[in-house]
Amino acid sequence: MGKTKCCDQHGVKRGGWTPEENETFVEYINNHRHGSWRTLPKLAGSCFLYRCGKSCRLQWINYLRPDIKRGPFTNEEENTIIQFHVMFGNRWAVIASQLPRRTNNEIKNYWNTQLKKRLPQSGSMMHSVVKPESPSKYHTAQWKSVRVEAETRLSMESSLLTSLPTSESKTRSHYSLQLWNSEVGNLFRMIKGNSVVCRSNNVSEASLSSKLESCSDVTLQVKNIESGTLVNKSQEEQGIGYKPKLEDGTIESKSSYYELLDSSDSALNIFLDMNDDQIGSSGQNESFLDTLYGKFD
DNA sequence: AACAGCATCAACCGCCAGTAC
DNA sequence: TGTACTGGCGGTTGATGCTGT
């Protein structure tokens, strides 16, 4: 539907807010509460502002609200951001809800200017996917192809699931988070529309980059997506056996590889077994997490 | 001291979903 | 039921400050 830009009116001021404007604005809000943002400047009349309501709202939420915490992010806040970004991607509002005194904008800026730079660059994991004509087919095809790809790469991720101390791994939320943080979860999120570079707190940059490096060694041939068949089989399907590289460049033993494959395959199947209602929007709703938890109860 | 390039962050833009009419 | 309005969100931009040469 066509919408008029709220700031297209004549006489609407733009740009940075002056201290006087801020002061008057806060005073007005304290006396009247904001009500409708769009009508606020009119209601406020000549006492302040030739600002559009949207600008007022933003200024209040991001700058003037009394409960905003300013200043550098603590390590704890940083970890929270990273953790939730892994789970929810660029859903700043969701992440901000975990840091109640921080604003979406602040978190977004902090991510883009600080945290993002520290993350390793992901390779093009979807490079071999053939893009069908319709979005729904594309969605299905992506998921199918990534599942196949995942099956060739699970060994690298499985160690995350199997290396936890027993006591820790028994905590369902921790395990679920671990799973969600895992490459399987990452692949799943990519299909759901979040192209997020996954970085678990439990994975060092070195190991992750090692993983990504080894990923590039795996050639994936998934062409006939509609029929669900593989035109060209990958090496391990031909019995050659894919051997993940370790950080020191050595090759992981075949036996451990196959042991690990099992657990991650199960993990992938858990995601696959969930329907869209359970998953919700990128897996952020509570029923999704409950469903996920339920898989381990 | 002057300039260029980079980093930061406040502010804006466009889109979307919910809601009122 | 369709349209318009509003609030909210994420992406992007531009002004400003900082740093290196």
Side-chain angles (χ1 to χ4, degrees), chain A residues 194-235:
Chain A
N194 289 334
S195 291
V196 177
V197 177
C198 175
R199 184 193 180 200
S200 162
N201 286 345
N202 299 300
V203 186
S204 70
E205 283 191 22
S207 68
L208 186 57
S209 59
S210 159
K211 282 165 57 180
L212 291 172
E213 181 192 342
S214 58
C215 289
S216 65
D217 293 340
V218 183
T219 52
L220 176 68
Q221 295 84 24
V222 185
K223 302 298 180 190
N224 195 346
I225 291 162
E226 288 308 307
S227 68
T229 59
L230 298 175
V231 176
N232 299 311
K233 293 190 176 185
S234 53
Q235 284 187 329

Side-chain angles (χ1 to χ4, degrees), chain A residues 136-265:
Chain A
S136 60
K137 283 182 181 177
Y138 182 43
H139 182 278
T140 306
Q142 275 187 312
W143 182 231
K144 282 181 181 178
S145 61
V146 167
R147 180 179 183 174
V148 173
E149 182 167 4
E151 287 173 359
T152 69
R153 301 165 56 199
L154 288 169
S155 66
M156 295 171 290
E157 185 53 42
S158 326
S159 57
L160 288 175
L161 298 175
T162 55
S163 62
L164 284 172
T166 310
S167 59
E168 215 178 11
S169 61
K170 282 180 180 172
T171 308
R172 69 175 194 170
S173 58
H174 189 284
Y175 187 45
S176 301
L177 187 60
Q178 188 77 19
L179 172 58
W180 189 243
N181 285 350
S182 72
E183 191 163 332
V184 178
N186 192 33
L187 289 169
F188 186 80
R189 285 191 297 282
M190 290 178 70
I191 294 307
K192 282 295 173 184
N194 289 334
S195 291
V196 177
V197 177
C198 175
R199 184 193 180 200
S200 162
N201 286 345
N202 299 300
V203 186
S204 70
E205 283 191 22
S207 68
L208 186 57
S209 59
S210 159
K211 282 165 57 180
L212 291 172
E213 181 192 342
S214 58
C215 289
S216 65
D217 293 340
V218 183
T219 52
L220 176 68
Q221 295 84 24
V222 185
K223 302 298 180 190
N224 195 346
I225 291 162
E226 288 308 307
S227 68
T229 59
L230 298 175
V231 176
N232 299 311
K233 293 190 176 185
S234 53
Q235 284 187 329
E236 54 269 42
E237 286 171 319
Q238 297 166 14
I240 296 170
Y242 166 65
K243 298 175 182 177
K245 286 180 186 172
L246 300 179
E247 285 182 46
D248 60 3
T250 59
I251 304 297
E252 189 165 358
S253 76
K254 194 173 180 178
S255 59
S256 67
Y257 158 54
Y258 282 115
E259 282 171 16
L260 295 171
L261 183 65
D262 247 341
S263 65
S264 277
D265 202 14

Side-chain angles (χ1 to χ4, degrees), chain A residues 102-116:
Chain A
R102 298 289 190 180
T103 68
N104 298 4
N105 216 28
E106 206 177 4
I107 293 170
K108 179 171 59 184
N109 282 334
Y110 186 63
W111 176 268
N112 286 331
T113 59
Q114 306 280 329
L115 300 178
K116 202 172 171 181

Side-chain angles (χ1 to χ4, degrees), chain A residues 16 50 54 68 81 89 96 104 110-111 120 138 268:
Chain A
Y50 297 98
K54 205 168 183 175
I68 288 177
I81 293 170
N104 298 4
Y110 186 63
W111 176 268
Y138 182 43
L268 182 60

